[in-house]
Every structure is written in structure tokens, then in C-alpha cells.
Amino acid sequence: MSPSTASHRMEFLRHPHPSYPHCTAWGIRIDGTDLRVLVAEATRALWDRELDEDDDTPQEREEFLLGQHAPLYLDHDADGARARAHFLGDAPPELRDSNTGASCLLGCFCGIDACWPLLAMIRATATEVVWSGFYQLNRPEWGELPLGPYVFPRPAYDETLATPVPIAQDPLAPLLGGG
């Protein structure tokens, strides 16, 4: 890691999917903040240009921003092998942009991860994992979002990926009207 690049702290979580509580999702916190909160802040001004401010209350707008993405389900991954490969940059074709190689980090609230994906490049070396170049595939006019790059020390990243924190509910459920 270069001296000018700050190191970040990654935390993977396992909790019920916000739309399908019988399915377990992969939550993500960077430096203690849910990735969906970071994306809400990064896209707030972009959505303000698209949405009519008179259509929603401030609370409805905030719920929309926080709920625009959901944690990945990564179905049929009981042992975590698919998630480990995915979050180290080897996402399956349906969760990767075939043009850039970027991986889906958050999916759609509808439960189909590839429907409204947040993508980023994942580069893993022996010493670090870097997430950079975040973008919304369905909004190319937005360009690269003002997120990251995030540099994670590889040993700590591998540890949290191997032993994600199990929690009883989606941490944003109280903010999304679910708790």
C-alpha cells in the first residue's frame, strides 16, 4: 500500500435479506458505515436532478435513497465459497459487468441482484484488497460515483470474509420501515 493511501476497515455481515427475510444476505460495512448509506450519500445529488421533490416527503426520499440497493443474496452459498470468490474479484458472470470486469457489490431491493447493481472494480493482492471505480450500471450518465477507493489490509479482509458477523435483522431495517 502506498503511503498516501489510507487503509479502511471492512466488515462483512450475514443477516436476513430486506425483501426476503427467509434468505440470508451479505451485508457490508466500511469503516463502520453500511455501504448502502455511503451509496445514498454518493447518489443524493444525482437523484435530486431526476426526482420531483414534491412527490415525496423528506422521510420517503431518505428511505428511497437508503433502499435503492440491497445486500447481495449469493444464493446456494452455505459454505461461503461463492462469497469469498465474489468479494475477491471473481464474481460469477451474472454479477459482473462483461465490459469492465467490475463486480456487483449491492443488488436490487427486488431480490434480483443483477437488476439494479452497484458495481466496482475489486483488485486483490497478497497484501491488500482495493475497491474502486464505483458505478451504477443502469445510470451510465452518472459516471463514476464519488466513493472510494477503499483499500483494505488483506489479512483482516480475509478474516471478516471467512467469519462474517451474524445479526438478527438488516441493520437498516429501522430506517426502511422494517423494525
Side-chain angles (χ1 to χ4, degrees):
M1 181 168 35
S2 69
S4 63
T5 305
S7 180
H8 295 275
R9 184 173 49 86
M10 168 59 72
E11 183 177 23
F12 286 102
L13 311 169
R14 295 288 281 153
H15 58 77
H17 190 280
S19 298
Y20 300 94
H22 63 283
C23 298
T24 304
W26 284 85
I28 298 168
R29 286 186 186 145
I30 298 174
D31 298 330
T33 302
D34 193 292
L35 180 57
R36 293 169 292 168
V37 172
L38 298 171
V39 172
E41 288 306 313
T43 60
R44 185 177 305 278
L46 297 165
W47 280 117
D48 284 347
R49 289 185 277 194
E50 290 188 33
L51 302 174
D52 185 343
E53 67 183 52
D54 296 331
D55 286 346
D56 301 308
T57 67
Q59 180 179 344
E60 289 169 332
R61 179 65 59 94
E62 196 59 26
E63 285 181 17
F64 170 79
L65 288 169
L66 292 172
Q68 67 183 299
H69 291 289
L72 295 179
Y73 168 46
L74 298 176
D75 59 341
H76 310 297
D77 191 33
D79 67 356
R82 183 174 182 199
R84 281 190 295 281
H86 183 97
F87 290 117
L88 287 170
D90 188 20
E94 68 273 15
L95 295 176
R96 178 186 301 231
D97 182 343
S98 61
N99 295 316
T100 66
S103 297
C104 179
L105 296 177
L106 292 173
C108 185
F109 200 80
C110 78
I112 300 170
D113 291 329
C115 176
W116 182 255
L118 173 75
L119 295 121
M121 297 302 296
I122 299 175
R123 181 181 54 83
T125 69
T127 59
E128 66 186 18
V129 177
V130 180
W131 289 8
S132 63
F134 291 80
Y135 64 100
Q136 172 43 257
L137 186 66
N138 297 313
R139 288 293 193 278
E141 66 275 15
W142 286 1
E144 186 174 326
L145 298 175
L147 287 169
Y150 297 109
V151 179
F152 309 105
R154 179 70 186 262
Y157 187 96
D158 286 343
E159 183 177 332
T160 188
L161 188 53
T163 57
V165 176
I167 56 178
Q169 77 169 8
D170 179 349
L172 295 189
L175 302 173
L176 298 171

PDB file of all heavy atoms in Angstrom, residues 107-122:
ATOM      1  N   GLY A 107     -27.083  -5.347  -4.652  1.00  0.00           N
ATOM      2  CA  GLY A 107     -28.069  -5.700  -5.657  1.00  0.00           C
ATOM      3  C   GLY A 107     -29.327  -4.871  -5.517  1.00  0.00           C
ATOM      4  O   GLY A 107     -29.344  -3.839  -4.842  1.00  0.00           O
ATOM      5  N   CYS A 108     -30.356  -5.347  -6.145  1.00  0.00           N
ATOM      6  CA  CYS A 108     -31.635  -4.652  -6.160  1.00  0.00           C
ATOM      7  C   CYS A 108     -32.491  -5.086  -4.980  1.00  0.00           C
ATOM      8  O   CYS A 108     -32.454  -6.245  -4.558  1.00  0.00           O
ATOM      9  CB  CYS A 108     -32.368  -4.944  -7.471  1.00  0.00           C
ATOM     10  SG  CYS A 108     -33.899  -4.013  -7.650  1.00  0.00           S
ATOM     11  N   PHE A 109     -33.272  -4.156  -4.487  1.00  0.00           N
ATOM     12  CA  PHE A 109     -34.180  -4.432  -3.385  1.00  0.00           C
ATOM     13  C   PHE A 109     -35.207  -5.497  -3.769  1.00  0.00           C
ATOM     14  O   PHE A 109     -35.753  -6.184  -2.921  1.00  0.00           O
ATOM     15  CB  PHE A 109     -34.878  -3.133  -2.962  1.00  0.00           C
ATOM     16  CG  PHE A 109     -35.444  -3.195  -1.581  1.00  0.00           C
ATOM     17  CD1 PHE A 109     -34.631  -3.017  -0.480  1.00  0.00           C
ATOM     18  CD2 PHE A 109     -36.790  -3.451  -1.383  1.00  0.00           C
ATOM     19  CE1 PHE A 109     -35.144  -3.076   0.804  1.00  0.00           C
ATOM     20  CE2 PHE A 109     -37.316  -3.513  -0.105  1.00  0.00           C
ATOM     21  CZ  PHE A 109     -36.501  -3.330   0.982  1.00  0.00           C
ATOM     22  N   CYS A 110     -35.467  -5.665  -5.080  1.00  0.00           N
ATOM     23  CA  CYS A 110     -36.461  -6.653  -5.533  1.00  0.00           C
ATOM     24  C   CYS A 110     -36.005  -8.082  -5.264  1.00  0.00           C
ATOM     25  O   CYS A 110     -36.801  -9.010  -5.340  1.00  0.00           O
ATOM     26  CB  CYS A 110     -36.766  -6.460  -7.014  1.00  0.00           C
ATOM     27  SG  CYS A 110     -35.509  -7.119  -8.130  1.00  0.00           S
ATOM     28  N   GLY A 111     -34.717  -8.274  -4.961  1.00  0.00           N
ATOM     29  CA  GLY A 111     -34.193  -9.605  -4.697  1.00  0.00           C
ATOM     30  C   GLY A 111     -33.392 -10.193  -5.839  1.00  0.00           C
ATOM     31  O   GLY A 111     -32.740 -11.212  -5.680  1.00  0.00           O
ATOM     32  N   ILE A 112     -33.444  -9.552  -7.007  1.00  0.00           N
ATOM     33  CA  ILE A 112     -32.623  -9.993  -8.141  1.00  0.00           C
ATOM     34  C   ILE A 112     -31.389  -9.096  -8.161  1.00  0.00           C
ATOM     35  O   ILE A 112     -31.462  -7.920  -8.530  1.00  0.00           O
ATOM     36  CB  ILE A 112     -33.410  -9.891  -9.466  1.00  0.00           C
ATOM     37  CG1 ILE A 112     -34.659 -10.764  -9.404  1.00  0.00           C
ATOM     38  CG2 ILE A 112     -32.510 -10.282 -10.640  1.00  0.00           C
ATOM     39  CD1 ILE A 112     -35.615 -10.553 -10.557  1.00  0.00           C
ATOM     40  N   ASP A 113     -30.275  -9.625  -7.717  1.00  0.00           N
ATOM     41  CA  ASP A 113     -29.072  -8.806  -7.535  1.00  0.00           C
ATOM     42  C   ASP A 113     -28.675  -8.045  -8.790  1.00  0.00           C
ATOM     43  O   ASP A 113     -28.269  -6.886  -8.718  1.00  0.00           O
ATOM     44  CB  ASP A 113     -27.905  -9.678  -7.053  1.00  0.00           C
ATOM     45  CG  ASP A 113     -28.110 -10.187  -5.633  1.00  0.00           C
ATOM     46  OD1 ASP A 113     -28.755  -9.490  -4.837  1.00  0.00           O
ATOM     47  OD2 ASP A 113     -27.617 -11.285  -5.335  1.00  0.00           O
ATOM     48  N   ALA A 114     -28.796  -8.666  -9.956  1.00  0.00           N
ATOM     49  CA  ALA A 114     -28.344  -8.038 -11.200  1.00  0.00           C
ATOM     50  C   ALA A 114     -29.329  -6.999 -11.747  1.00  0.00           C
ATOM     51  O   ALA A 114     -29.031  -6.332 -12.728  1.00  0.00           O
ATOM     52  CB  ALA A 114     -28.088  -9.104 -12.256  1.00  0.00           C
ATOM     53  N   CYS A 115     -30.474  -6.821 -11.111  1.00  0.00           N
ATOM     54  CA  CYS A 115     -31.496  -5.897 -11.597  1.00  0.00           C
ATOM     55  C   CYS A 115     -31.059  -4.433 -11.469  1.00  0.00           C
ATOM     56  O   CYS A 115     -31.234  -3.644 -12.388  1.00  0.00           O
ATOM     57  CB  CYS A 115     -32.792  -6.139 -10.824  1.00  0.00           C
ATOM     58  SG  CYS A 115     -34.135  -5.029 -11.214  1.00  0.00           S
ATOM     59  N   TRP A 116     -30.529  -4.044 -10.333  1.00  0.00           N
ATOM     60  CA  TRP A 116     -30.108  -2.663 -10.061  1.00  0.00           C
ATOM     61  C   TRP A 116     -28.772  -2.739  -9.311  1.00  0.00           C
ATOM     62  O   TRP A 116     -28.671  -2.460  -8.122  1.00  0.00           O
ATOM     63  CB  TRP A 116     -31.175  -1.939  -9.236  1.00  0.00           C
ATOM     64  CG  TRP A 116     -30.874  -0.517  -8.940  1.00  0.00           C
ATOM     65  CD1 TRP A 116     -30.465  -0.001  -7.728  1.00  0.00           C
ATOM     66  CD2 TRP A 116     -30.937   0.610  -9.820  1.00  0.00           C
ATOM     67  NE1 TRP A 116     -30.276   1.348  -7.816  1.00  0.00           N
ATOM     68  CE2 TRP A 116     -30.563   1.760  -9.093  1.00  0.00           C
ATOM     69  CE3 TRP A 116     -31.262   0.763 -11.164  1.00  0.00           C
ATOM     70  CZ2 TRP A 116     -30.517   3.027  -9.654  1.00  0.00           C
ATOM     71  CZ3 TRP A 116     -31.219   2.027 -11.715  1.00  0.00           C
ATOM     72  CH2 TRP A 116     -30.855   3.143 -10.966  1.00  0.00           C
ATOM     73  N   PRO A 117     -27.708  -3.149  -9.992  1.00  0.00           N
ATOM     74  CA  PRO A 117     -26.446  -3.417  -9.296  1.00  0.00           C
ATOM     75  C   PRO A 117     -25.585  -2.176  -9.074  1.00  0.00           C
ATOM     76  O   PRO A 117     -25.515  -1.291  -9.919  1.00  0.00           O
ATOM     77  CB  PRO A 117     -25.739  -4.367 -10.262  1.00  0.00           C
ATOM     78  CG  PRO A 117     -26.192  -3.895 -11.610  1.00  0.00           C
ATOM     79  CD  PRO A 117     -27.636  -3.486 -11.417  1.00  0.00           C
ATOM     80  N   LEU A 118     -24.949  -2.149  -7.929  1.00  0.00           N
ATOM     81  CA  LEU A 118     -23.849  -1.217  -7.698  1.00  0.00           C
ATOM     82  C   LEU A 118     -22.592  -2.016  -7.995  1.00  0.00           C
ATOM     83  O   LEU A 118     -22.376  -3.082  -7.406  1.00  0.00           O
ATOM     84  CB  LEU A 118     -23.806  -0.731  -6.252  1.00  0.00           C
ATOM     85  CG  LEU A 118     -22.565   0.107  -5.937  1.00  0.00           C
ATOM     86  CD1 LEU A 118     -22.688   1.496  -6.545  1.00  0.00           C
ATOM     87  CD2 LEU A 118     -22.300   0.165  -4.458  1.00  0.00           C
ATOM     88  N   LEU A 119     -21.782  -1.522  -8.916  1.00  0.00           N
ATOM     89  CA  LEU A 119     -20.581  -2.247  -9.322  1.00  0.00           C
ATOM     90  C   LEU A 119     -19.325  -1.480  -8.952  1.00  0.00           C
ATOM     91  O   LEU A 119     -19.345  -0.251  -8.839  1.00  0.00           O
ATOM     92  CB  LEU A 119     -20.603  -2.486 -10.833  1.00  0.00           C
ATOM     93  CG  LEU A 119     -21.730  -3.391 -11.283  1.00  0.00           C
ATOM     94  CD1 LEU A 119     -22.603  -2.664 -12.271  1.00  0.00           C
ATOM     95  CD2 LEU A 119     -21.181  -4.654 -11.863  1.00  0.00           C
ATOM     96  N   ALA A 120     -18.239  -2.215  -8.798  1.00  0.00           N
ATOM     97  CA  ALA A 120     -16.927  -1.628  -8.567  1.00  0.00           C
ATOM     98  C   ALA A 120     -15.866  -2.630  -8.992  1.00  0.00           C
ATOM     99  O   ALA A 120     -16.118  -3.831  -9.072  1.00  0.00           O
ATOM    100  CB  ALA A 120     -16.737  -1.257  -7.092  1.00  0.00           C
ATOM    101  N   MET A 121     -14.709  -2.110  -9.244  1.00  0.00           N
ATOM    102  CA  MET A 121     -13.565  -2.975  -9.542  1.00  0.00           C
ATOM    103  C   MET A 121     -13.014  -3.479  -8.209  1.00  0.00           C
ATOM    104  O   MET A 121     -12.909  -2.720  -7.248  1.00  0.00           O
ATOM    105  CB  MET A 121     -12.477  -2.205 -10.290  1.00  0.00           C
ATOM    106  CG  MET A 121     -12.918  -1.686 -11.656  1.00  0.00           C
ATOM    107  SD  MET A 121     -13.495  -2.960 -12.790  1.00  0.00           S
ATOM    108  CE  MET A 121     -11.999  -3.918 -12.993  1.00  0.00           C
ATOM    109  N   ILE A 122     -12.695  -4.759  -8.163  1.00  0.00           N
ATOM    110  CA  ILE A 122     -12.077  -5.359  -6.983  1.00  0.00           C
ATOM    111  C   ILE A 122     -10.720  -5.884  -7.427  1.00  0.00           C
ATOM    112  O   ILE A 122     -10.627  -6.682  -8.359  1.00  0.00           O
ATOM    113  CB  ILE A 122     -12.922  -6.513  -6.418  1.00  0.00           C
ATOM    114  CG1 ILE A 122     -14.303  -6.014  -5.997  1.00  0.00           C
ATOM    115  CG2 ILE A 122     -12.184  -7.171  -5.246  1.00  0.00           C
ATOM    116  CD1 ILE A 122     -15.242  -7.122  -5.545  1.00  0.00           C
TER     117      ILE A 122
END
